[in-house]
């Protein structure tokens, strides 16, 4: 808006008409005082100021406007009819005017000037606005930088406080940050700790897994810088994803050496104990058989019943010890499969007969469903039968209220699938994945049913060694289906 200041109403009127004819928004003031108060309240792009006015003349108004930050940059055109001498014109410029027009005015020239100054002022205003916006943005960015820096500091302090070795990597796998504990296992923040040569396969594994955008967890031995000792650590690395792309990795090494040692000692103890138990048990078994033959007991006599019970308990003990020995074989990579050409259906029938013999036939009911795999395949018949017997024994053991078990087989070009379904106690979903772990037993049922939690662990190893898969589905209080597959070729 343009402010016209003049004490003469007719001057104001004609100037206002002239400017409005060119669509300029116009405001007016008829004294210096009124002009000042209006200029402080409103935003003007230009002021056209008459020099001769009673009380406060145009020069004074201009000087006062120059004192206020709000008004100091408004361009002023002086209009004067009387003070046309050079000194007045000079004074006009000195007091802050950008032009000095003497009357009578040429309307075309005045309009051209007004238009130019008005435009310049408009441009200035826009420039100022964008400068202010820029300043605001710079300020905002600086503040965000400060916040980010403090968040980063906080994050690094948290990593420092961890009892583990902690580090971060950038997206290409270069080390970005390490905490203090890192230096117990590495001489510099640029180098990864030394990994035991026997664990270097795991490093390869880690390189492969790195592109999968998933959490990596590996057990590796790393070398303590001071003692030179290799200690077992759990290396865990989580990718931080932004828009499904890796931004960086957060990793930790947790010292699990003591747990590992205890575990190894336990495995060794089990291996030695089961070996030591096996020898006397074998002779007990032989002597009981000898005794049974020598005594020639009447099958219906109580004594014959006692001997049968002793033999049954010896068999149970023998199975337990065999399982423990299998575990130690798995630990040492010595559980080898003896692959031969066998008929799978015959193996299934053998397993079913064994189960029916060792259980009260009237108390269980086994149904057989699906296409029978009555053909030859390559597998270890003793070990596959062991898996089946384990599934069937569990199905009966963990179904105290229901005696029905279904064995289903299905055959396709690649695999044969064998499932054992029971209608027993079931397994809670979040515990299902663990039942194949060594010594794992579902807590809820562990007191009610006897067992050591190793049968399924051995089964999983046997099936994996055959190149098959093993798994289950289960609903608590409704029952479970355990299955395994064997490849046909
Ligand atoms: P064990 O039966 O000697 O404890 P397993 O390794 O055979 O050991 O089984 C591990 C655990 O899985 C068992 O302790 C039991 O909690 C659970 N489990 C296995 N089979 C079944 C089943 N058919 N129904 C319910 N729970 C089962």
């Amino acid at each position: 808006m343009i402010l016209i200041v003049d004490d003469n109403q007719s001057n104001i009127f004609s100037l206002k008409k002239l400017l409005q004819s060119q669509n300029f928004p116009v405001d007016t003031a008829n004294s210096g005082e009124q002009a000042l108060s209006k200029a402080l309240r409103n935003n003007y792009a230009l002021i056209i100021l008459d020099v001769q006015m009673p009380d406060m003349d145009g020069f004074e108004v201009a000087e006062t406007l120059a004192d206020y930050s709000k008004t100091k940059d408004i361009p002023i055109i002086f209009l004067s009819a009387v003070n046309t001498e050079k000194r007045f014109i000079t004074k006009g410029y000195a007091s802050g005017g950008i032009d000095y027009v003497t009357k009578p005015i040429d309307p075309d020239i005045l309009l051209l000037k007004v238009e130019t100054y008005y435009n310049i002022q408009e441009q200035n205003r826009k420039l100022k606005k964008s400068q202010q916006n820029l300043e605001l943005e710079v300020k905002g960015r600086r503040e965000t930088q400060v916040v980010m820096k403090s968040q980063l500091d906080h994050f690094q302090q948290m990593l420092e406080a961890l009892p583990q070795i902690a580090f971060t990597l950038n997206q290409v796998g270069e080390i970005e940050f390490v905490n203090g504990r890192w230096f117990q296992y590495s001489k510099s923040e640029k180098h990864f700790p030394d990994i035991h040569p026997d664990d270097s396969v795991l490093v390869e594994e880690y390189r492969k897994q790195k592109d999968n955008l998933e959490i990596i967890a590996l057990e590796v031995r790393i070398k303590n810088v001071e003692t030179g000792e290799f200690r077992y650590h759990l290396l865990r690395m989580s990718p931080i994803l932004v828009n499904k792309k890796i931004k960086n990795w957060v990793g930790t090494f947790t010292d699990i050496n003591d747990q590992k040692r205890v575990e190894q000692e336990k495995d060794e103890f089990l291996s030695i104990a089961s070996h030591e138990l096996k020898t006397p048990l074998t002779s007990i078994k032989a002597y009981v058989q000898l005794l049974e033959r020598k005594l020639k007991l009447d099958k219906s006599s109580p004594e014959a019943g006692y001997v049968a019970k002793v033999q049954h308990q010896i068999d149970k003990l023998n199975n337990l010890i065999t399982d423990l020995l299998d575990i130690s074989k798995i630990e040492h990579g010595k559980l080898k499969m003896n692959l031969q050409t066998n008929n799978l259906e015959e193996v299934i029938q053998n397993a079913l007969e064994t189960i029916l013999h060792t259980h009260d036939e009237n108390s269980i009911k086994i149904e057989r469903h699906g296409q029978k795999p009555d053909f030859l395949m390559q597998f270890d018949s003793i070990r596959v039968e062991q898996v089946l017997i384990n599934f069937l024994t569990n199905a009966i053991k963990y179904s105290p209220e229901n005696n029905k078990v279904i064995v289903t087989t299905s055959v396709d070009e690649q695999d044969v699938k064998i499932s054992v379904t029971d209608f027993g106690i079931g397994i809670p979903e979040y515990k299902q994945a663990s039942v194949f772990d060594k010594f794992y037993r579902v807590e809820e049922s562990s007191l009610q049913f006897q067992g050591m939690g190793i049968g399924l662990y051995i089964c999983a190893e046997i099936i994996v060694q055959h190149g098959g898969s093993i798994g289950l589905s289960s609903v608590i209080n409704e029952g479970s289906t355990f299955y395994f597959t064997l490849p046909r070729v």
Side-chain angles (χ1 to χ4, degrees), residues 394 397-398 422 427 435 440-442 445 451-453 455-456 480:
N394 282 350
K397 179 161 74 171
Y398 295 105
D422 65 58
I427 300 169
V435 296
Y440 184 85
R441 306 201 70 220
V442 177
S445 52
M452 288 204 294
L456 291 178
S480 314

Side-chain angles (χ1 to χ4, degrees), residues 131-162:
Q131 191 186 347
Q132 274 170 354
N133 284 344
L134 267 176
E135 275 168 9
L136 271 180
E137 196 174 320
V138 169
K139 193 168 163 241
R141 285 193 183 188
R142 264 199 212 117
E143 280 168 5
T144 333
Q145 260 177 0
V146 171
V147 173
M148 272 171 63
K149 166 101 179 51
S150 92
Q151 279 175 347
L152 192 69
D153 286 350
H154 180 62
F155 170 68
Q156 294 189 342
Q157 275 165 6
M158 281 187 339
L159 291 186
E160 270 318 330
L162 287 179

Side-chain angles (χ1 to χ4, degrees), residues 32 47 56-57 77 92 146 168 180 182 196 278 319 325 328 462 466 472-473 480-481:
I47 298 177
M56 198 179 203
D57 70 13
I77 301 177
V146 171
T168 61
W182 176 269
H196 194 282
K278 186 90 181 164
N319 287 342
L325 280 171
S328 112
I462 293 172
H466 277 85
L472 76 146
S473 59
S480 314
T481 295

Side-chain angles (χ1 to χ4, degrees), residues 11-261:
N11 281 351
I12 288 188
F13 182 75
S14 53
L15 207 49
K16 189 174 173 182
K17 278 213 113 167
L18 177 70
L19 297 181
Q20 281 177 338
S21 70
Q22 296 303 311
N23 294 328
F24 285 111
V26 176
D27 195 5
T28 60
N30 44 31
S31 72
E33 288 82 359
Q34 198 187 12
L36 279 179
S37 86
K38 282 197 163 189
L40 286 171
R41 267 185 284 123
N42 307 323
N43 289 322
Y44 296 114
L46 180 67
I47 298 177
I48 301 176
L49 188 54
D50 184 26
V51 176
Q52 287 81 38
M53 286 187 294
D55 299 331
M56 198 179 203
D57 70 13
F59 297 138
E60 275 176 84
V61 176
E63 277 161 13
T64 316
L65 287 174
D67 287 342
Y68 292 97
S69 62
K70 177 164 190 317
T71 53
K72 72 179 175 17
D73 295 326
I74 307 175
I76 297 170
I77 301 177
F78 284 111
L79 286 186
S80 176
V82 185
N83 301 327
T84 53
E85 291 165 31
K86 194 173 162 191
R87 65 190 172 92
F88 285 112
I89 298 175
T90 317
K91 191 172 177 193
Y93 281 104
S95 60
I98 53 162
D99 211 337
Y100 199 97
V101 179
T102 52
K103 291 180 186 173
I105 50 168
D106 179 329
D108 292 335
I109 300 285
L110 183 67
L111 268 182
L112 279 176
K113 287 187 174 190
V114 166
E115 212 166 288
T116 312
Y117 294 134
Y118 190 87
N119 286 343
I120 290 177
Q121 185 61 6
E122 274 298 297
Q123 296 274 333
N124 276 347
R125 211 177 46 78
K126 280 186 192 151
L127 263 175
K128 227 187 210 162
K129 185 105 191 120
S130 60
Q131 191 186 347
Q132 274 170 354
N133 284 344
L134 267 176
E135 275 168 9
L136 271 180
E137 196 174 320
V138 169
K139 193 168 163 241
R141 285 193 183 188
R142 264 199 212 117
E143 280 168 5
T144 333
Q145 260 177 0
V146 171
V147 173
M148 272 171 63
K149 166 101 179 51
S150 92
Q151 279 175 347
L152 192 69
D153 286 350
H154 180 62
F155 170 68
Q156 294 189 342
Q157 275 165 6
M158 281 187 339
L159 291 186
E160 270 318 330
L162 287 179
Q164 287 110 331
I165 299 169
F167 59 95
T168 61
L169 305 180
N170 64 15
Q171 60 266 63
V172 288
E174 292 158 353
I175 302 168
E176 271 179 340
F177 168 83
V178 297
N179 71 355
R181 289 175 205 275
W182 176 269
F183 298 100
Q184 295 171 359
Y185 285 85
S186 172
K187 287 210 176 80
S188 90
E189 68 267 34
K190 295 266 168 287
H191 294 98
F192 237 72
D194 277 348
I195 288 181
H196 194 282
D198 292 351
D199 294 345
S200 51
V201 254
L202 295 173
V203 180
E204 267 311 302
E205 178 69 13
Y206 150 77
R207 291 217 173 93
K208 272 189 236 148
Q209 285 187 25
K210 233 168 51 150
D211 300 329
N212 293 350
L213 311 185
E214 280 168 11
I215 292 176
I216 298 172
L218 295 171
E219 288 181 5
V220 283
R221 279 166 286 179
I222 52 174
K223 190 174 177 183
N224 187 293
V225 174
E226 250 178 42
T227 61
E229 179 199 9
F230 279 101
R231 288 181 69 84
Y232 269 104
H233 281 76
L234 175 69
L235 166 61
R236 197 169 185 285
M237 293 190 27
S238 312
I240 309 289
L241 302 179
V242 174
N243 295 334
K244 293 196 179 150
K245 286 219 167 97
I246 294 185
K247 188 166 165 279
N248 43 22
W249 292 86
V250 178
T252 49
F253 279 104
T254 310
D255 191 325
I256 50 166
N257 205 60
D258 293 340
Q259 284 134 272
K260 271 274 171 196
R261 217 194 46 242

